[in-house]
Amino acid sequence: MMQFMLLFSRQGKLRLQKWYVAQPDKARKKITRDLVTTILARKPKMCSFLEWRDLKIVYKRYASLYFCCAIEQQDNELLCLEIIHRYVELLDKYFGSVCELDIIFNFEKAYFILDELLIGGEVQETSKKNVLKAIAAQDLLQEDETPQGFFEDHGLG
C-alpha cells in the first residue's frame, strides 16, 4: 500500500502532497524535508528506488517536477513506477502536456485526478478512459453549479 505521494520542483518546492497514512503535521514536514533533500541530492543516472526508514521510496522526474511515492517493503517498486507514470499520463491528457504551473494553478484538479486513480493508497481505477470520463463529468457538474451571470448580477464582475 502506498503511504504517501509528493510532487515537488527541482528547487525543492512542494507542489502536491497526498497522505494515505495519518501522520502528525510536524512529522509530515520532517518527512517531506528529508525526502526532498535526499532525492534532489541524487544524480540523474542513479536508481529511482531507495530504502528509507522502513519504507521503499520510488520517484521519477518529469520535466521540472519530481513525483515521489513511499510504499511498504513488500510492495512492487515497478508497479509503483507504473502508477506514477499513469498519473502523469492522466495529467498530460487533462491539461494537454502538463507543466508545473498547471499543478500550481489547478491543484484541486490534480488532486481530483489522483483521487480518481488512487483511494486509500491503492489503485482504484486502471482505465485512463474511465478516469478521464469521471473528470469530464465533474467538470460538467462544476459548470452547472456555477451560474454564468452570478458575479455580474451581484456587482462583482
Side-chain angles (χ1 to χ4, degrees):
M1 182 181 104
M2 192 177 295
Q3 303 287 305
F4 57 84
M5 181 184 275
L6 305 173
L7 268 69
F8 55 91
S9 69
R10 288 184 301 197
Q11 293 76 35
K13 297 258 191 258
L14 191 62
R15 298 302 183 202
L16 184 138
Q17 59 180 326
K18 185 72 175 186
W19 298 82
Y20 297 107
V21 174
Q23 295 279 353
D25 201 40
K26 197 172 183 180
R28 285 182 185 190
K29 285 186 171 113
K30 182 169 178 19
I31 290 168
T32 302
R33 190 174 50 248
D34 289 353
L35 280 176
V36 168
T37 305
T38 302
I39 291 170
L40 289 176
R42 292 172 65 88
K43 299 201 179 344
K45 298 276 184 200
M46 291 176 87
C47 180
S48 293
F49 313 139
L50 59 116
E51 300 281 328
W52 186 78
R53 297 185 183 172
D54 58 339
L55 299 170
K56 287 192 252 184
I57 303 300
V58 178
Y59 69 93
K60 181 95 169 101
R61 180 177 160 195
Y62 289 89
S64 66
L65 281 177
Y66 284 88
F67 291 72
C68 169
C69 296
I71 56 175
E72 294 171 351
Q73 285 295 331
Q74 69 273 13
D75 290 336
N76 185 329
E77 300 95 333
L78 293 174
L79 186 58
C80 185
L81 211 49
E82 187 60 34
I83 292 167
I84 291 171
H85 188 69
R86 177 59 48 103
Y87 183 48
V88 172
E89 287 177 326
L90 287 164
L91 290 170
D92 263 348
K93 278 264 197 241
Y94 184 79
F95 292 110
S97 190
V98 70
C99 69
E100 190 175 346
L101 288 175
D102 291 322
I103 304 293
I104 293 168
F105 292 115
N106 301 291
F107 64 90
E108 68 286 341
K109 287 293 175 199
Y111 276 113
F112 185 77
I113 293 168
L114 185 58
D115 289 343
E116 285 297 315
L117 180 65
L118 296 169
I119 290 184
E122 301 285 348
V123 175
Q124 169 68 16
E125 180 58 71
T126 56
S127 165
K128 279 190 281 189
K129 193 197 273 182
N130 287 349
V131 171
L132 291 168
K133 238 190 276 184
I135 296 161
Q138 179 67 26
D139 285 348
L140 216 62
L141 191 63
Q142 204 170 4
E143 283 175 25
D144 290 346
E145 292 294 315
T146 309
Q148 293 303 319
F150 175 82
F151 294 106
E152 289 80 11
D153 293 346
H154 291 84
L156 300 171

Short mmCIF file of all heavy atoms in Angstrom, two decimals, residues 2 50 62 70 73 76 117-118 128-129 131-132 156:
data_model
loop_
_atom_site.label_atom_id
_atom_site.label_comp_id
_atom_site.label_asym_id
_atom_site.label_seq_id
_atom_site.Cartn_x
_atom_site.Cartn_y
_atom_site.Cartn_z
N MET A 2 0.46 2.22 -0.75
CA MET A 2 1.18 3.48 -0.80
C MET A 2 0.92 4.26 0.49
O MET A 2 -0.21 4.34 0.95
CB MET A 2 0.72 4.29 -2.03
CG MET A 2 1.59 5.47 -2.33
SD MET A 2 1.09 6.35 -3.82
CE MET A 2 1.37 5.14 -5.09
N LEU A 50 14.81 3.78 -3.48
CA LEU A 50 15.72 3.81 -2.35
C LEU A 50 15.02 3.34 -1.09
O LEU A 50 13.81 3.47 -0.95
CB LEU A 50 16.36 5.19 -2.16
CG LEU A 50 15.48 6.41 -1.93
CD1 LEU A 50 15.75 6.97 -0.56
CD2 LEU A 50 15.86 7.45 -2.97
N TYR A 62 9.79 14.17 -14.11
CA TYR A 62 9.19 14.52 -15.40
C TYR A 62 9.35 16.03 -15.54
O TYR A 62 8.78 16.78 -14.74
CB TYR A 62 7.71 14.16 -15.45
CG TYR A 62 7.44 12.68 -15.52
CD1 TYR A 62 7.30 11.92 -14.36
CD2 TYR A 62 7.31 12.04 -16.75
CE1 TYR A 62 7.05 10.56 -14.43
CE2 TYR A 62 7.06 10.67 -16.82
CZ TYR A 62 6.93 9.94 -15.66
OH TYR A 62 6.68 8.60 -15.72
N ALA A 70 5.97 6.69 -1.37
CA ALA A 70 6.51 5.79 -0.36
C ALA A 70 5.61 4.57 -0.31
O ALA A 70 4.39 4.70 -0.20
CB ALA A 70 6.55 6.47 1.00
N GLN A 73 7.49 -2.31 2.37
CA GLN A 73 8.59 -3.19 1.96
C GLN A 73 8.16 -4.30 0.99
O GLN A 73 8.88 -4.63 0.08
CB GLN A 73 9.25 -3.82 3.19
CG GLN A 73 10.13 -2.87 3.97
CD GLN A 73 11.34 -2.41 3.18
OE1 GLN A 73 11.86 -3.10 2.31
NE2 GLN A 73 11.79 -1.20 3.48
N ASN A 76 5.63 -3.75 -4.79
CA ASN A 76 6.44 -3.81 -6.01
C ASN A 76 6.81 -2.41 -6.48
O ASN A 76 5.93 -1.60 -6.80
CB ASN A 76 5.63 -4.56 -7.07
CG ASN A 76 6.39 -4.80 -8.34
OD1 ASN A 76 7.25 -4.02 -8.72
ND2 ASN A 76 6.06 -5.89 -9.01
N LEU A 117 -7.71 7.99 -9.44
CA LEU A 117 -6.77 6.91 -9.72
C LEU A 117 -6.50 6.06 -8.48
O LEU A 117 -6.50 4.83 -8.56
CB LEU A 117 -5.46 7.51 -10.25
CG LEU A 117 -4.34 6.55 -10.60
CD1 LEU A 117 -4.73 5.67 -11.78
CD2 LEU A 117 -3.07 7.33 -10.92
N LEU A 118 -6.28 6.72 -7.35
CA LEU A 118 -5.92 6.03 -6.10
C LEU A 118 -6.89 6.39 -4.97
O LEU A 118 -7.24 7.56 -4.82
CB LEU A 118 -4.52 6.45 -5.63
CG LEU A 118 -3.33 6.12 -6.51
CD1 LEU A 118 -2.10 6.85 -6.00
CD2 LEU A 118 -3.07 4.64 -6.54
N LYS A 128 -7.50 4.64 -18.09
CA LYS A 128 -7.35 6.09 -18.29
C LYS A 128 -8.66 6.69 -18.79
O LYS A 128 -9.04 7.78 -18.37
CB LYS A 128 -6.24 6.38 -19.30
CG LYS A 128 -4.86 6.33 -18.74
CD LYS A 128 -3.84 6.85 -19.71
CE LYS A 128 -3.52 5.81 -20.74
NZ LYS A 128 -2.39 6.13 -21.59
N LYS A 129 -9.31 5.96 -19.67
CA LYS A 129 -10.56 6.44 -20.26
C LYS A 129 -11.62 6.67 -19.18
O LYS A 129 -12.30 7.69 -19.17
CB LYS A 129 -11.08 5.43 -21.29
CG LYS A 129 -12.19 5.99 -22.18
CD LYS A 129 -12.97 4.90 -22.90
CE LYS A 129 -12.36 4.51 -24.20
NZ LYS A 129 -13.14 3.50 -24.93
N VAL A 131 -11.13 7.20 -15.93
CA VAL A 131 -10.72 8.32 -15.06
C VAL A 131 -11.03 9.64 -15.75
O VAL A 131 -11.61 10.55 -15.14
CB VAL A 131 -9.21 8.23 -14.70
CG1 VAL A 131 -8.74 9.49 -14.00
CG2 VAL A 131 -8.94 7.01 -13.82
N LEU A 132 -10.68 9.75 -17.02
CA LEU A 132 -10.93 10.99 -17.76
C LEU A 132 -12.43 11.26 -17.90
O LEU A 132 -12.86 12.42 -17.87
CB LEU A 132 -10.25 10.95 -19.13
CG LEU A 132 -8.72 11.00 -19.06
CD1 LEU A 132 -8.11 10.65 -20.41
CD2 LEU A 132 -8.23 12.35 -18.58
N LEU A 156 -20.18 42.13 -8.88
CA LEU A 156 -18.83 41.68 -8.52
C LEU A 156 -17.97 41.47 -9.77
O LEU A 156 -16.81 41.10 -9.65
CB LEU A 156 -18.91 40.36 -7.74
CG LEU A 156 -19.68 40.42 -6.43
CD1 LEU A 156 -19.87 39.03 -5.86
CD2 LEU A 156 -18.98 41.31 -5.42
#
